[in-house]
Amino acid sequence: MHLAHYLGLLHRAQTALAAALREVGRAHADEADIAHLTEQEARRCDQRARALRPFADRYAEQAPDEPERLHSELFRGTRTGGLGLLRDLQDLYLMTAECDICWTLVGQAAQGLRDTGLADVVSEGAEETTIQLAWLRGRMKQAAPQALVVA
Amino acid sequence: MDPWGARTPYAAGEQWPERHDEYTTEPPERWVRSASLLHSNGDGIDIGVRGNRIVGVRGRAGDRVNRGRLDVKDRYGWQANARPDRLTRPLVRDGGELRECGWDEAMGRIVERSRQLIAGPGGWGRFGFYTTGQLFLEEFYTLGVIGKAGLGTPHMDGNTRLCTATSAAALKASFGTDGQPGSYTDVDHCDAIALWGHNVAETQTVLWMRMLDRRAGANPPAMLAVDPRATPVALEADVHLPIRPGTNLALMNGLLRLMLRHGWVDKEYVSRHTVGLEKLEQVVDAYPVEHVARICDLKTAEIERAAELLGTAERLLSTVLQGFYQSHQATAAAVAVNNLHLLRGMLGRPGAGVLQMNGQPTAQNTRETGADGDLPGFRNWDNPSHVRELAELWNVDMATIPHWAPPTHAMQIWRYAEQGSIELLWISGTNPAVSMPDLARIRRILARPELFVVVQDIFPTETSEFADVVLPAATWGEKTGAFTNADRTVHLSEKAVDPPGEARADLDIFLDYAARMDFRDRDGRPLIHWTDPESAYAAWQRCSAGRPCDYTDITYDKLRGDSGLQWGGERLYTDGVFNTRSDYCETYGQELSTGAERPAAEHHGDGRAFLLATGYSPAPEAPSDDFPLRLVTGRTVTQFHTRTKTGRVPELDREAPGPWIELHPDDAAAHGIHDGDPVRVESARGAIEVPARVCGIRRGVVFVPFHYAAEAANELTLTAWDPVSKQPLFKLCAVRVRGKV
């Protein structure tokens, strides 16, 4: 059973996203909404990672060795300026999208296992991730014309 | 000074008795119709005129809003109009200094700069307009059309972002569009009044007189106040919740849970007229009263008493203002008040209503006409057919009208100016160098040499000192136009006297700019084809047709007949059908914790209201060892905004000539501060020195009024805003105090 690997992947994606959110928030502290909302969303990522932990531990006992090239690297540091903000938010968006698809797949596995406890955690995590995606997408859509055409 | 005057008690269901307030310095030769301009109440007022001078005011007895009464600011405030330091000629900056000039030269400079900036791709993005909640409807509509169809920029907002944006956001979220459900006459019929962060006694004195008169008559309404300060409202209330700042949403979720637990719910109303009950129940279930009491630092018995007052009322009126709007999770908390009324079926009938209040007199018109960036007529920027309606009305290409994202809110406009992508900032009728948060930053932005700053105002201000061009404007009493108050009452304010010197009506300034810029429609005809207030109003009437704020029946003639006409009738939603239909609504919704815009495909509005809920989260900038106290800023009864007028009137100025800090006796004692002592107040951003008032306020919380330019409260406040309404958080900054050493 390989679920543990995907739980690990999702867990790591959540903690990596939390760290990246905080880094972007610090790098763009002059964008007050970014600074506040990245921190708020990072806390949510931490909570979700914590909620996943017991399931990851439980299923780890039944898992074979971790396959190669499981984890991806989507974030390599922040940039500056209006265009830099847009690119940083795009990185966050892609990292959130990775979490989003992981939630979907882990949710499918939870159904296959009839693990309602995991399914509940997934359902909440997936919903919050959808909100994060919508927020990032909207914020980028607002910023794009000014950053790409005007500035 | 007694700002509320003699009581005229009345009982439930009776008409509010008239009271004939009048103040003149000489006998008037004639009376000219107007309405109040120094708060949002919209009182019907007549201006007394002698020759070409204003010599007094009187409340209009037949008016539905004030029944003859005068607010203290209106009683004396008109005298500011004639102060000798009015701006009477345009000014332009030459060699670092402002010098007087003619209109041609001043407007010529603005147009020259505008033409340079508009040329090339993205020219629209180099303009920002920051207006007010104090111009007239015709002026706001004209400005909106210049922005959206002339320059094609989404960068337009008002200082209404600072005072009333949350009201609009909460109404849109719950009911589908902006527009006040309730009516001031609900005070006449209600059996309970809940004031949510609303110090109505100081912000809308005439509305408070109405409430006090009900309290003094037979069958008085019960009263609940939620406020960390012992305001006059809190002292009058039967139940006062001195809540910890930043925790309103936790309280609301707790109260909603108690409504559900006790069965204080109109089940039939909820099932017929709302969606979202299940999710709401799920969210508020996490807020048992003991938990809420800890978060909000209130006693459980107090919260339960408040819940009983709300839950057993048969005709409940709620009013909401800055204690909610300028605090943490503002929109979510204001929406929770809407939820309370939806759950209890307390909407659309006499005495059962919500008043999501406004701060400024014409804030409602900023929102209706689109001078706050919204599309006019409460249209939805994300609905292509709404944009097409406007393109047809204005006869412009649909692509001209910016609708790729929500309008740029004020805080973001200032950020673009800070970064340099906005290069022309046109500020009309407001004084951001005193009213914005973190003033040191605002001064840095205004002082940027690359930023071309236009200031259109009636007096020199702290902001006009930074201007490249200053345009002298006419004010109330010197120009004609309509405006609309917080309960949708429209008044016509007629020109009574000529403006001083070369000062011009704001409408004439905007029309002049449009003509000089030569904005054209698709057929080469002038985009702005109106020439005076009445023709501008007629253009607005066509724009509003078929929308919730439909003005087509409210003509100038009718406004000159009856005193005060409401659009939409006395109350909205009397049949429980809301403006949420997907093809009609103003928004497809926003997620409350992040402000994320919901896509059209996910909107399924069908005329039922939305019950929306989200969890409480702790506010930013929590008190720390370095800054252990919470500062809330606010208002005082005799002053308005940044005192541009009220500070120039001795009767008002002498009541509150300078700022002060209110401290709890324990906090004062801990710092060795006595009443009247000078206190140094510091935040991470700045410091001020003001005298102490040791008085009724929560322990750990201090209050400073925001009106004053010297030792300004906003030197201390932080740049942060609600994610949905984008209203700044003026009531949450961490500070420390020091007595004089």
Side-chain angles (χ1 to χ4, degrees):
Chain A
M1 190 169 76
H2 295 282
L3 173 60
H5 299 317
Y6 245 84
L7 282 169
L9 177 61
L10 176 53
H11 185 272
R12 199 149 128 185
Q14 288 292 162
T15 52
L17 177 56
L21 280 162
R22 291 198 168 95
E23 208 176 316
V24 170
R26 274 193 303 273
H28 300 278
D30 288 341
E31 311 290 341
D33 61 329
I34 302 289
H36 288 120
L37 288 174
T38 48
E39 178 53 36
Q40 172 185 304
E41 296 306 304
R43 281 201 301 266
R44 286 187 169 165
C45 290
D46 292 341
Q47 279 164 16
R48 293 203 287 273
R50 270 198 302 277
L52 281 169
R53 191 76 254 170
F55 296 96
D57 292 346
R58 185 191 313 161
Y59 290 112
E61 292 160 15
Q62 304 162 43
D65 290 343
E66 188 175 288
E68 285 175 25
R69 298 202 304 116
L70 179 68
H71 300 283
S72 69
E73 202 62 57
L74 291 167
F75 187 66
R76 294 198 184 80
T78 58
R79 307 159 181 87
T80 57
L83 188 61
L85 173 69
L86 208 54
R87 280 294 288 112
D88 288 348
L89 293 178
Q90 184 170 320
D91 282 353
L92 293 179
Y93 183 86
L94 293 174
M95 294 176 79
T96 311
E98 184 182 39
C99 295
D100 184 58
I101 190 63
C102 286
W103 286 114
T104 302
L105 302 185
V106 170
Q108 296 297 99
Q111 290 191 57
L113 279 165
R114 276 76 178 176
D115 185 337
T116 52
L118 179 57
D120 286 348
V121 170
V122 168
S123 137
E124 205 168 305
E127 194 185 323
E128 286 183 8
T129 304
T130 308
I131 291 169
Q132 274 181 0
L133 275 176
W135 163 60
L136 288 164
R137 190 180 177 81
R139 185 64 176 78
M140 283 188 286
K141 280 176 71 178
Q142 287 166 48
Q146 196 76 6
L148 301 182
V149 180
V150 181
Chain B
M1 178 189 286
D2 171 11
W4 308 298
R7 296 279 58 78
T8 50
Y10 70 125
E14 289 179 5
Q15 190 176 41
W16 191 22
E18 292 180 1
R19 194 181 86 186
H20 298 256
D21 293 354
E22 182 174 324
Y23 175 74
T24 56
T25 50
E26 290 172 59
E29 292 163 353
R30 59 197 172 93
W31 292 97
V32 176
R33 273 196 177 203
S34 183
S36 55
L37 199 84
L38 293 168
H39 49 85
S40 69
N41 211 50
D43 305 327
I45 284 180
D46 291 326
I47 304 173
V49 181
R50 193 172 176 87
N52 192 34
R53 287 179 302 118
I54 298 177
V55 293
V57 288
R58 69 179 180 197
R60 211 154 45 246
D63 195 274
R64 65 178 299 280
V65 173
N66 55 321
R67 313 272 300 150
R69 288 161 188 79
L70 284 175
D71 180 288
V72 61
K73 290 186 281 294
D74 297 315
R75 171 183 291 265
Y76 302 112
W78 55 270
Q79 298 172 102
N81 282 25
R83 299 293 299 176
D85 56 341
R86 280 285 297 271
L87 290 166
T88 56
R89 296 198 68 198
L91 308 172
V92 291
R93 188 169 299 277
D94 268 334
E97 296 295 316
L98 285 169
R99 66 161 171 84
E100 290 193 347
C101 68
W103 276 96
D104 268 341
E105 187 179 356
M107 294 304 288
R109 285 211 188 181
I110 300 172
V111 168
E112 186 193 351
R113 190 79 186 110
S114 297
R115 286 190 186 284
Q116 287 164 0
L117 293 175
I118 197 72
W124 53 266
R126 302 190 175 98
F127 293 79
F129 291 86
Y130 186 60
T131 187
T132 178
Q134 300 170 41
L135 304 187
F136 291 162
L137 182 156
E138 297 80 355
E139 297 164 338
F140 284 138
Y141 179 60
T142 303
L143 178 62
V145 178
I146 287 172
K148 289 177 224 312
L151 297 165
T153 184
H155 304 334
M156 179 180 289
D157 201 354
N159 61 14
T160 49
R161 189 64 58 185
L162 279 48
C163 73
T164 180
T166 302
S167 164
L171 294 171
K172 290 180 205 179
S174 300
F175 309 129
T177 68
D178 196 347
Q180 197 68 261
S183 163
Y184 289 160
T185 53
D186 288 333
V187 177
D188 308 348
H189 300 279
C190 65
D191 66 355
I193 304 177
L195 299 118
W196 308 97
H198 184 196
N199 184 10
V200 57
E202 303 203 54
T203 53
Q204 290 90 8
T205 59
V206 172
L207 184 57
W208 181 237
M209 294 172 201
R210 197 169 193 142
M211 293 176 181
L212 285 179
D213 284 348
R214 271 299 313 281
R215 296 273 292 178
N219 337 98
M223 188 174 277
L224 164 69
V226 177
D227 199 314
R229 298 171 63 209
T231 61
V233 174
L235 296 175
E236 169 72 20
D238 303 302
V239 182
H240 171 212
L241 300 180
I243 191 167
R244 172 184 282 150
T247 66
N248 293 327
L249 184 59
L251 173 67
M252 293 313 301
N253 283 348
L255 290 171
L256 291 172
R257 181 180 167 278
L258 288 172
M259 296 302 121
L260 292 163
R261 287 285 162 125
H262 288 286
W264 288 324
V265 173
D266 183 338
K267 284 182 183 149
E268 196 189 328
Y269 190 93
V270 171
S271 73
R272 287 167 65 102
H273 301 302
T274 72
V275 283
L277 178 62
E278 201 180 325
K279 173 82 184 174
L280 175 89
E281 282 176 320
Q282 204 186 323
V283 170
V284 303
D285 205 44
Y287 295 85
V289 67
E290 300 76 17
H291 181 48
V292 172
R294 274 193 302 276
I295 296 173
C296 305
D297 192 23
L298 295 168
K299 296 189 179 73
T300 53
E302 291 175 320
I303 299 171
E304 279 161 351
R305 238 185 113 203
E308 189 180 351
L309 185 154
L310 299 165
T312 57
E314 289 173 11
R315 291 175 307 282
L316 172 66
L317 171 64
S318 278
T319 72
V320 194
L321 200 62
Q322 310 306 9
F324 273 41
Y325 296 169
Q326 293 182 338
S327 192
H328 180 54
Q329 298 189 294
T331 306
V335 158
V337 176
N338 296 343
N339 291 340
L340 171 69
H341 281 256
L342 290 166
L343 285 182
R344 298 233 52 233
M346 293 286 172
L347 282 168
R349 57 189 167 84
V354 175
L355 294 168
Q356 299 278 359
M357 293 298 295
N358 302 341
Q360 293 176 81
T362 72
Q364 190 61 42
N365 304 114
T366 325
R367 283 147 51 180
E368 292 167 359
T369 63
D372 67 344
D374 283 347
L375 295 185
F378 300 158
R379 285 178 177 84
N380 183 351
W381 63 268
D382 205 11
N383 181 338
S385 68
H386 285 192
V387 182
R388 196 170 304 116
E389 280 174 17
L390 291 174
E392 279 164 20
L393 176 76
W394 296 331
N395 193 31
V396 297
D397 194 328
M398 201 171 140
T400 308
I401 302 168
H403 62 283
W404 51 73
T408 315
H409 59 91
M411 304 304 290
Q412 188 67 52
I413 290 174
W414 284 89
R415 177 67 185 143
Y416 287 152
E418 184 173 32
Q419 289 175 306
S421 65
I422 282 181
E423 297 178 64
L424 188 157
L425 185 59
W426 189 324
I427 300 164
S428 46
T430 187
N431 188 11
V434 178
S435 55
M436 290 284 284
D438 192 0
L439 291 179
R441 170 174 175 259
I442 295 301
R443 285 190 295 267
R444 277 198 306 276
I445 298 172
L446 288 169
R448 283 174 53 90
E450 305 83 3
L451 183 68
F452 189 84
V453 178
V454 180
V455 172
Q456 177 174 326
D457 215 318
I458 64 172
F459 286 104
T461 65
E462 289 72 20
T463 305
S464 69
E465 288 171 26
F466 294 92
D468 294 282
V469 178
V470 179
L471 303 174
T475 185
W476 173 94
E478 301 164 356
K479 58 181 187 176
T480 293
F483 59 93
T484 308
N485 76 351
D487 88 335
R488 293 172 284 102
T489 304
V490 189
H491 287 103
L492 186 62
S493 180
E494 305 259 22
K495 179 175 172 176
V497 298
D498 291 323
E502 295 176 29
R504 285 187 185 175
D506 298 275
L507 178 65
D508 291 333
I509 296 172
F510 294 141
L511 290 175
D512 187 26
Y513 178 68
R516 288 172 193 262
M517 288 297 287
D518 199 27
F519 295 125
R520 299 271 163 174
D521 70 9
R522 236 175 346 201
D523 297 322
R525 289 187 298 247
L527 171 69
I528 310 265
H529 48 78
W530 48 93
T531 53
D532 60 11
E534 190 154 5
S535 54
Y537 186 84
W540 161 247
Q541 284 180 299
R542 281 194 294 283
C543 181
S544 72
R547 296 299 299 162
C549 52
D550 192 328
Y551 279 68
T552 44
D553 275 347
I554 305 174
T555 60
Y556 263 33
D557 277 350
K558 282 191 187 165
L559 289 170
R560 285 174 173 139
D562 294 330
S563 181
L565 298 169
Q566 286 174 290
W567 62 252
E570 188 165 24
R571 292 175 188 84
L572 303 184
Y573 314 128
T574 51
D575 54 0
V577 178
F578 295 89
N579 294 340
T580 52
R581 250 181 29 231
S582 298
D583 61 353
Y584 190 65
C585 63
E586 191 176 3
T587 172
Y588 296 132
Q590 284 171 274
E591 197 276 322
L592 290 177
S593 72
T594 58
E597 305 277 341
R598 305 269 195 202
E602 285 175 20
H603 191 266
H604 306 290
D606 59 3
R608 286 180 292 174
F610 295 113
L611 292 165
L612 300 167
T614 192
Y616 158 79
S617 67
E621 198 163 273
S624 60
D625 289 348
D626 273 355
F627 299 104
L629 299 170
R630 268 273 198 232
L631 168 71
V632 299
T633 71
R635 284 139 196 84
T636 189
V637 66
T638 53
Q639 302 303 321
F640 180 60
H641 217 252
T642 67
R643 302 186 356 116
T644 313
K645 281 186 176 174
T646 52
R648 286 180 165 84
V649 176
E651 290 90 340
L652 298 173
D653 181 60
R654 70 178 172 231
E655 295 292 323
W660 66 90
I661 182 169
E662 296 183 5
L663 302 119
H664 186 275
D666 291 354
D667 292 325
H671 292 86
I673 295 166
H674 302 97
D675 201 55
D677 282 356
V679 178
R680 186 171 167 83
V681 194
E682 297 172 341
S683 79
R685 289 154 296 276
I688 59 173
E689 198 173 295
V690 288
R693 281 190 193 175
V694 180
C695 61
I697 188 166
R698 262 189 75 89
R699 194 178 293 117
V701 176
V702 296
F703 168 87
V704 177
F706 89 105
H707 308 287
Y708 301 88
E711 308 303 323
N714 280 319
E715 303 290 351
L716 307 167
T717 48
L718 81 161
T719 303
W721 55 85
D722 179 66
V724 183
S725 69
K726 318 293 194 269
Q727 184 158 347
L729 275 57
F730 286 108
K731 298 194 185 277
L732 275 176
C733 116
V735 296
R736 63 181 167 228
V737 297
R738 235 179 337 129
K740 197 74 175 173
V741 282

